[in-house]
């Protein structure tokens, strides 16, 4: 028990150190980008304004408001103070909308699209990979090339192919949006149906890509394990095949779980392509607009969420590993 | 083992189902929000009304978005695309940061579905047509005061009349809270006064000689800026507690307006307006009826391509996007889609995307170098490739400082400058100019030198602006043909726009910037934008003359034009300005471009304004300035 405690507290300490470092980087990196966000806002606001002094004045008003005219360490202190109070500030690009409001309205779309897609892709991929390793022959010969082919399609390629075939040509699914272009969100069967129909293409564009990669990984791991000494030894001892396969997949699964944790952590970035191509609402496209508009508060808040998700996913996995695989804990606390 | 695996699998599945279920939950939330919003409205729309003449009529939707249920009736909804690219932030007519492109956009062709201006600008002929105002406005004898009347029938959405006091108070508020309008017009307008309940006088700021600083800007103000209700403004002020930032940040969900539409629903994916059936403009003295579509809706697409697909699918009726090869939509795809004109250039072009020479770059201060580059560029290819022929060629509309509209073309004497109006792709001519100036290749490397130094430039525009990038490639190709090295450079917009606005920047040599389109101050505003010396010396310059051109004569012309009323004198001045521009070539126009692209899908609605239909309604989304008249003309394809 003491061993576990030491293991956990060690992990927790590292988790906190990484979090602080990431937090500082999240603040600094967007601000190192060349360009001036206040100038972007000014440009938008002063279109058609003929007075040069007026333009300058507008610029100064916004610089003052966003604090970009203050030295960076002062900006950081203000940022810290706000974050501690749970205040992400006002967005630059969608000023005066609060960053929290923007995130709140987009993050659920991303999670609802990505989480099931990642899980389904992971489950299907691993099952297929394990089957390929176990059944070999015909199944493997067909599955492998298809998996390799699909997993190497870039995500936007898959999305565009689905879009062109199923939305533009066959017109089975809509081309854009999270719900019907003629709808007002409403708790009715028609609306839910519309959401589900709009969900299909973005969902499958993510699932299909991830199936291939997962299957290849799982197949390779399984083949390696199937040929491991302990398998041969168990067979030699006459242990039942089913029992052996249980062990094999449990071992082969470990690296796949890491992969799953990471893809859950990075789902916001992963959603970007599907969100853009299908005009699907969500955090990915929000982040992209934020970067294009040099919206520091929105970039920092989005990346902070991503950082937290990755860190927490990793932390949980490490903890889980300690439980699932005693070897890891043993190796770490020595 | 198997059991445990099964357990894990089923847990994961159930968990994912649970998360998927988040969606309807969110839907519920949204609906709740909407309901709340709508319920809230009547409560705030009871401002202390001064002299209420009629029973205040509840403004805004008398329909709950939730009642319209899952869908907006297609035959009552006009779908617009290309204006709104992210969620609406606010409805505050005093703020420039509403990101409410379909609803709140003051300016030369002010967007008037919700808030209204005294006059509507018609870009086709430059007329200002009365909206809230009654009849034409008039200058006093010295051109220092403009007077107009407010229509007696004009009403706010709460039923109270629009008064001259509202107009005056709006201006005072702009000044007090230093809004964009207040700061922008502050140099030109002294006060706006209500002489009686219906008469407004706009007094110009005067210079030392007692003349208006700039009468053109006074003229622009009355068709560019909204009139806001005084009573509601006071509510907003009370809420902000006198703080200017809070005042401008207020999203103004409770706004009172005078236009034919008001907000109905908006989220990250769409904006919907609903018609106010009590709109005052149905009076015979104005439009005589209500606008035809009950709803105006704008889906927020991720990019141009998504909007284009939706237009093809009939999910968009009016598209303000650049759709490359637009004619293919009807010629190849056989869709019921059309534009302002059936043949190239398809639209009404009004602005002049221009390449500026940085006069501080080595050699670009030499007129021979500038002239040679400008002569060598193949504009026909730019127009054919970058604009897919949605611009007239320089054969059709010879270059000047004017846009191609008839009104502006009539303002200069084309014959007087015909010798200067190059068409382009004149490689031999360009080479001859350089040879004559002694700018030749002395070291045999294929590139020309000026005083021993090789001429090498970059041609720059923002990344992703594909038509501009195509144009810059053609400029670079022209350089190569005449022995001047030009390489293209495409920084991100965020970077680009912080560099070119600085007068002393050394990074960009030849760079593209848009030009003013049509408006009440044009073409004066454009002449000023292209050449006014004062802009050359400023940092953070969003106004013009980005190459740093200095010419005292052009400054005199720019000062003289606004106060000139004699048409012949105006033509003289504009002709001289054109002559200077085409002789000194501080920058050169690459193509013509519409103020707003205009492609309409006639699968649901028809009878859209088009060229030569005699209605004189400009092709501007049916929302901007006088183009809103188009909303009253629409007809259903299948009534």
């Amino acid at each position: 028990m003491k061993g576990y405690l030491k293991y956990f507290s060690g992990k927790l300490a590292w988790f906190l150190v990484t979090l602080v470092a990431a937090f500082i980087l999240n603040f600094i990196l967007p601000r190192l980008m060349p360009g001036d966000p206040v100038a972007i806002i000014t440009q938008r606001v002063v279109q058609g304004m003929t007075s040069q002094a007026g333009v300058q004045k507008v610029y100064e008003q916004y610089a003052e408001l966003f604090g970009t005219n203050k030295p960076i360490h002062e900006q950081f202190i203000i940022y810290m103070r706000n974050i501690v109070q749970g205040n992400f500030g006002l967005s630059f690009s969608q000023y005066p909308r609060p960053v929290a409001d923007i995130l709140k309205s987009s993050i659920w779309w991303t999670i609802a699209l990505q989480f099931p897609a990642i899980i389904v892709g992971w489950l299907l991929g691993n099952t297929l990979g394990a089957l390929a390793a176990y059944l070999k022959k015909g199944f493997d010969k067909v599955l492998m090339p298809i998996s390799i082919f699909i997993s190497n399609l870039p995500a936007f390629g898959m999305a565009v192919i689905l879009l062109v075939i199923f939305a533009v040509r066959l017109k089975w699914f809509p081309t854009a949006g999270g719900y019907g272009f003629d709808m007002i969100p409403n708790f009715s069967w028609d609306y839910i149906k519309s959401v589900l129909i709009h969900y299909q293409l973005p969902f499958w564009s993510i699932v299909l890509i991830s199936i291939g990669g997962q299957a290849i990984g799982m197949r390779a791991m399984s083949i390696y394990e199937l040929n491991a000494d302990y398998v041969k030894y168990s067979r030699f001892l006459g242990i039942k095949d089913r029992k052996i396969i249980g062990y094999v997949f449990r071992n082969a699964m470990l690296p796949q779980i890491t992969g799953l944790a990471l893809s859950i952590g990075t789902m916001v970035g992963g959603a970007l392509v599907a969100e853009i191509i299908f005009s699907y609402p969500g955090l990915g496209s929000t982040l992209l607009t934020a970067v294009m508009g040099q919206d520091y508060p929105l970039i920092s808040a989005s990346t902070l969420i991503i950082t937290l998700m990755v860190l927490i996913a990793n932390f949980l996995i490490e903890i889980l590993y300690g439980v699932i695989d005693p070897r890891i804990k043993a190796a770490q606390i020595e | 083992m198997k059991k445990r695996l099964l357990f894990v699998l089923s847990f994961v599945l159930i968990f994912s189902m649970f998360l998927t279920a988040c969606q309807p939950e969110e839907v519920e939330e949204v609906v709740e929000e909407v309901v709340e919003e709508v319920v809230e409205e009547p409560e705030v729309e009871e401002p202390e009304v001064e002299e209420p003449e009629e029973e205040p009529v509840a403004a805004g939707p008398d329909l709950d978005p939730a009642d319209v249920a899952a869908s907006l009736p297609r035959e009552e909804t006009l779908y617009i695309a290309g204006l709104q690219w992210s969620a609406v932030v606010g409805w505050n007519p005093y703020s420039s940061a509403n990101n409410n492109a379909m609803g709140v956009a003051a300016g030369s062709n002010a967007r008037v579905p919700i808030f209204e201006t005294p006059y509507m600008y018609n870009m086709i002929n430059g007329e200002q047509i009365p909206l809230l105002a009654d009849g034409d406005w008039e200058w006093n004898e010295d051109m220092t005061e403009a007077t107009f009347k407010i229509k007696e029938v004009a009403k706010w959405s709460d039923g109270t009349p629009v008064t001259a006091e509202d107009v005056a108070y709006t201006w005072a508020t702009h000044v007090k809270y230093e809004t964009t309008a207040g700061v922008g017009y502050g140099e030109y307008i002294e006060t706006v006064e209500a002489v009686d309940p219906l008469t407004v006088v706009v007094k110009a700021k005067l210079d030392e000689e007692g003349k208006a600083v700039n009468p053109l800007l006074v003229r622009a103000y009355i068709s560019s800026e909204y009139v806001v209700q005084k009573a509601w403004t006071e509510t907003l002020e009370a809420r902000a507690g006198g703080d200017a930032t809070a005042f401008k940040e207020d999203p103004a969900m409770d706004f009172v307006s005078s236009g034919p539409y008001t907000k109905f629903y908006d989220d990250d994916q769409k904006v919907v307006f609903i018609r106010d059936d009590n709109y005052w403009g149905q009076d015979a003295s104005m439009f005589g009826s209500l606008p035809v579509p009950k709803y105006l809706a704008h889906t927020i697409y991720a990019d141009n391509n998504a909007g284009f697909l939706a237009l093809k699918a009939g999910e968009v009726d009016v598209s303000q996007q650049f759709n490359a090869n637009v004619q293919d939509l009807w010629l190849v795809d056989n869709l019921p889609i059309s534009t302002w004109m059936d043949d190239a250039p398809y639209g009404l072009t009004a602005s002049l995307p221009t390449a500026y020479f940085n006069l501080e770059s080595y050699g670009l201060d030499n007129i021979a170098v500038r002239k040679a580059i400008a002569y060598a560029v193949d504009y026909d290819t730019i127009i054919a490739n970058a604009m897919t022929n949605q611009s007239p060629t320089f054969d059709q509309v010879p270059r000047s400082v004017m846009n191609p509209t008839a009104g502006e073309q009539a303002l200069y004497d084309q014959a007087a400058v015909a010798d200067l109006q190059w068409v382009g792709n004149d490689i031999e001519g360009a080479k001859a100019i350089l040879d004559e100036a002694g700018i030749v290749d002395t070291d045999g490397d294929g590139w020309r030198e000026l005083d021993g130094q090789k001429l090498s430039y970059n041609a720059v525009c923002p990344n992703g602006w594909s038509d501009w990038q195509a144009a810059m490639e053609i400029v670079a190709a022209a350089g190569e043909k005449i022995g001047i090295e030009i390489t293209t450079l495409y920084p991100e917009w965020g970077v680009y726009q912080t560099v070119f606005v600085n007068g002393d920047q050394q990074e960009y040599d030849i760079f593209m910037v848009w030009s003013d389109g049509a408006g009440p101050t044009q073409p004066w505003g454009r002449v000023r934008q292209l050449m006014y010396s004062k802009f050359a010396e400023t940092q953070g310059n969003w106004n013009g003359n980005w190459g740093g051109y200095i010419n005292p004569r052009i400054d005199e012309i720019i000062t003289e034009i606004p106060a000139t009323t004699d048409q012949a004198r105006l033509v003289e001045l504009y002709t001289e300005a054109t002559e200077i521009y085409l002789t000194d070539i501080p920058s050169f126009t690459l193509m013509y471009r519409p103020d707003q692209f205009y492609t309409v899908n006639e699968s649901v609605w028809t009878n859209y304004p088009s060229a030569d239909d005699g209605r004189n309604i400009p092709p501007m989304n049916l929302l901007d300035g006088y183009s809103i008249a188009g909303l009253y003309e629409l007809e259903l394809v299948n009534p």
Side-chain angles (χ1 to χ4, degrees), chain A residues 34-37 39-59 61-62 65 90 93-97 102 104-106 108-109 111-113 115-116 119-120 122-123 163 168 174-188 190-192 195-196 199 242-243 246-247 250 253 275-282 285-286 289 292 294, chain B residues 1-2 4-5 9 12-13 15-16 19-20 22-28 30-31 34 65-72 74 79 86-89 95-99 177-181 183-185 187-188 217 245 248-250 264-265 267-270 272 299-303 305-306 309-310 314-316 492-495 497-498 514 521 524 528 535 538-543:
Chain A
D36 177 0
I40 301 183
I41 300 170
T42 310
Q43 181 271 324
R44 215 171 44 216
V45 167
V46 301
Q47 292 243 324
M49 191 192 269
T50 33
S51 151
Q52 180 60 31
V55 175
Q56 280 294 338
K57 196 154 191 175
V58 170
Y59 179 89
Q61 280 177 0
Y62 279 108
L65 185 74
L90 297 180
S93 62
Q94 297 187 40
Y95 171 82
R97 204 172 165 203
I102 299 176
K104 205 173 70 189
S105 68
S106 56
W108 295 110
W109 288 97
I111 290 179
L113 173 66
F115 198 83
I119 300 287
V120 169
W122 188 80
L123 286 177
L163 179 78
V168 177
T175 56
Y179 58 85
F181 77 101
D182 54 352
M183 297 218 163
I184 300 280
N186 178 288
F187 199 64
S188 70
D190 278 345
Y191 177 69
I192 294 169
V195 169
L196 287 177
Y199 188 74
R242 296 182 68 154
K243 184 100 180 154
Y247 288 127
R250 187 168 158 184
M253 211 55 140
E275 284 177 12
I276 293 196
I277 294 190
F278 297 105
S279 291
Y280 204 78
S285 39
T286 305
T289 3
M292 302 308 280
Q294 301 201 316
Chain B
M1 181 62 223
K2 197 182 166 192
R4 213 183 294 170
L5 194 72
L9 286 184
V12 167
L13 265 175
F15 189 55
S16 62
L19 269 167
T20 329
C22 282
Q23 249 171 323
E25 251 176 54
E26 200 225 350
V27 170
E28 233 173 340
V30 175
V31 174
V34 174
D67 286 342
V68 177
S71 58
L72 295 169
R74 186 66 183 92
Y79 287 92
S86 55
V88 164
V89 173
S95 162
S96 327
N98 291 300
N99 194 35
Y177 292 98
E178 296 192 326
T179 67
T180 307
V183 171
Y185 286 98
E187 282 180 34
Y188 313 106
L217 267 300
T245 306
K248 285 180 281 187
E249 266 179 17
D250 195 302
F264 183 60
Y265 178 80
D267 66 10
D268 286 2
Q269 296 176 60
K270 67 166 42 107
V272 184
T299 307
I300 297 168
Y301 296 103
D303 53 21
N305 193 45
L309 289 176
E315 295 173 8
V316 168
E492 287 305 317
W493 164 241
V495 177
Q497 55 99 33
T498 53
W514 56 81
T521 60
W524 170 82
R528 183 169 177 262
F535 298 153
T538 48
Q539 300 291 309
N541 164 20
W542 284 103
N543 281 310

Side-chain angles (χ1 to χ4, degrees), chain A residues 14-332:
Chain A
W14 273 114
F15 174 80
L16 291 175
V17 170
T18 325
L19 182 63
V20 171
F23 187 74
I24 295 173
L25 286 179
N26 278 342
F27 175 80
I28 295 176
L29 288 180
R31 286 162 176 82
L32 293 182
M33 285 197 294
D36 177 0
V38 177
I40 301 183
I41 300 170
T42 310
Q43 181 271 324
R44 215 171 44 216
V45 167
V46 301
Q47 292 243 324
M49 191 192 269
T50 33
S51 151
Q52 180 60 31
V55 175
Q56 280 294 338
K57 196 154 191 175
V58 170
Y59 179 89
E60 282 153 23
Q61 280 177 0
Y62 279 108
E64 180 64 34
L65 185 74
F66 294 132
T68 50
N69 53 0
K70 297 192 179 74
I72 194 151
H73 61 269
E74 265 182 53
Q75 290 184 43
F76 185 64
I77 293 169
I78 298 172
Y79 175 72
M80 287 277 286
R81 210 164 38 211
N82 287 339
I83 294 285
V84 171
Q85 296 164 352
N87 173 6
F88 289 109
L90 297 180
S91 157
F92 288 5
S93 62
Q94 297 187 40
Y95 171 82
R97 204 172 165 203
V99 168
D101 181 50
I102 299 176
L103 295 181
K104 205 173 70 189
S105 68
S106 56
I107 195 165
W108 295 110
W109 288 97
T110 296
I111 290 179
L113 173 66
Q114 284 278 307
F115 198 83
I118 288 171
I119 300 287
V120 169
W122 188 80
L123 286 177
L124 283 178
N126 282 311
T127 316
L128 289 175
L131 282 176
Y134 185 65
L135 298 174
K136 297 180 195 142
K137 301 203 181 100
F139 189 72
D140 191 27
K141 286 212 174 82
V142 177
L143 184 75
M144 268 312 283
I146 294 179
S147 297
I148 291 177
F149 177 72
I150 292 183
S151 68
N152 280 302
L153 273 180
F156 70 85
M158 177 58 85
V160 169
I161 289 172
L162 292 183
L163 179 78
V164 169
I165 295 180
F166 295 104
V168 177
R169 295 268 165 237
L170 297 176
K171 298 193 182 353
W172 290 355
F173 297 100
T175 56
Y179 58 85
F181 77 101
D182 54 352
M183 297 218 163
I184 300 280
N186 178 288
F187 199 64
S188 70
W189 175 236
D190 278 345
Y191 177 69
I192 294 169
K193 206 165 71 183
S194 169
V195 169
L196 287 177
I197 290 173
H198 282 77
Y199 188 74
Q200 296 309 315
L201 288 184
F203 176 78
W204 289 106
S205 76
I206 300 168
V207 171
L208 286 179
I209 293 282
S210 55
I211 286 180
Q214 297 287 356
I216 295 168
M218 186 62 183
R219 176 184 169 275
M221 282 309 300
S222 304
I223 290 175
Y224 171 80
E225 291 290 335
L226 279 168
N227 293 317
D229 287 348
Y230 73 90
V231 175
K232 288 177 184 161
Y233 184 65
S234 311
R235 283 208 172 114
F236 183 68
L237 287 179
I239 297 174
K240 274 188 194 156
D241 230 22
R242 296 182 68 154
K243 184 100 180 154
I244 300 175
I245 287 167
Y247 288 127
V248 165
F249 287 141
R250 187 168 158 184
N251 280 327
M253 211 55 140
L254 284 173
Q256 299 297 98
I257 291 179
T258 315
L260 175 66
L262 286 180
S263 46
I264 289 175
T266 53
M267 70 168 132
V268 171
L272 184 66
V273 169
E275 284 177 12
I276 293 196
I277 294 190
F278 297 105
S279 291
Y280 204 78
L283 205 50
S285 39
T286 305
L287 182 57
L288 181 75
T289 3
V291 172
M292 302 308 280
Q294 301 201 316
D295 189 341
Y296 300 156
L298 190 51
I299 299 175
S300 291
S302 309
T303 47
L304 190 66
I305 289 180
I306 298 176
T307 313
L308 277 174
M309 283 165 93
V310 174
L311 282 178
I312 291 172
N314 262 323
F315 180 68
L316 289 179
I317 286 301
E318 298 247 24
I319 299 298
L320 206 63
Y321 263 18
V323 180
I324 303 178
D325 190 348
R327 288 174 302 179
I328 293 178
K329 184 195 61 172
Q332 300 249 326

Side-chain angles (χ1 to χ4, degrees), chain B residues 319-586:
Chain B
S319 164
Q320 193 290 122
Q321 290 187 180
F322 171 62
N323 300 311
N325 293 308
V326 69
Q327 72 284 0
D328 286 354
L329 290 171
W330 60 89
L331 292 180
V332 179
D333 301 332
N334 285 318
L335 293 166
I337 290 176
S338 59
T339 44
W340 177 246
M341 287 183 278
D342 294 336
D343 301 306
Y346 307 106
L348 180 59
T349 50
S351 81
L352 284 56
T354 295
Y356 283 81
F357 287 114
N358 184 346
L359 300 184
E360 303 223 340
S361 297
Y362 182 78
L364 287 183
D365 53 349
N366 186 311
I367 173 64
V369 177
R370 298 202 298 272
K371 199 169 178 178
I373 294 173
Y375 276 39
V377 173
D378 184 354
Y379 303 96
D380 287 347
T381 306
I382 291 181
I383 286 162
N385 292 358
M387 288 295 290
T388 62
N389 292 317
Q390 293 177 51
S391 158
T393 65
F394 289 98
D395 260 334
Q396 291 161 341
V397 181
R399 60 179 63 245
S400 63
V401 293
M402 307 296 163
N403 72 18
T405 57
E408 287 199 16
Q409 289 292 320
L411 279 173
Y412 84 110
D413 178 2
Q414 210 233 308
V417 294
D419 292 347
L420 298 167
Q421 294 172 310
W422 73 92
V423 175
N425 202 15
D426 179 8
I427 305 298
E428 292 315 312
K431 282 181 177 167
I433 293 167
L434 292 169
D435 291 343
E436 209 171 293
I439 303 167
V440 290
D441 178 17
T442 46
D443 58 8
D445 65 351
W447 304 111
R448 294 174 190 258
E449 288 88 26
L450 175 62
D451 300 332
Q453 191 176 330
K454 181 174 129 185
L455 294 179
S456 173
Y457 304 111
N458 56 22
V460 197
C461 76
N463 189 30
W465 298 25
S466 50
D467 47 338
W468 284 26
Q469 284 174 281
M472 288 288 98
E473 290 297 336
I474 292 163
V475 170
E480 195 177 346
K481 286 183 199 152
I482 59 171
I484 294 175
E485 186 180 55
I486 301 178
T487 48
T488 52
L489 175 68
Y490 306 127
E492 287 305 317
W493 164 241
V495 177
Y496 184 76
Q497 55 99 33
T498 53
V499 175
F500 86 88
V501 295
N502 291 321
D504 52 3
Q505 60 96 2
Q506 306 277 323
E507 289 163 60
Y508 305 159
D509 302 315
I510 302 168
F511 53 98
M512 261 185 96
V513 190
W514 56 81
S515 86
D516 283 349
T521 60
Q522 303 303 342
W524 170 82
R526 199 175 311 109
V527 173
R528 183 169 177 262
Q529 184 182 49
L530 290 168
M531 292 180 281
Y532 193 38
S533 306
K534 238 187 193 170
F535 298 153
E537 297 145 11
T538 48
Q539 300 291 309
N541 164 20
W542 284 103
N543 281 310
N545 192 10
W546 290 283
Y549 175 69
I550 309 280
N551 182 340
R553 176 59 199 142
I554 201 81
D555 295 346
E556 287 168 17
I557 296 175
I558 290 167
T559 315
E560 191 178 338
I561 289 174
T564 306
T565 43
D566 176 38
Q567 189 68 12
R569 179 65 189 149
L570 263 186
V571 171
E572 254 174 60
L573 289 169
Y574 279 123
T575 308
E576 191 184 348
T578 306
E579 193 182 333
I580 294 174
Y581 183 63
L582 296 179
T583 310
D584 286 357
I585 316 181

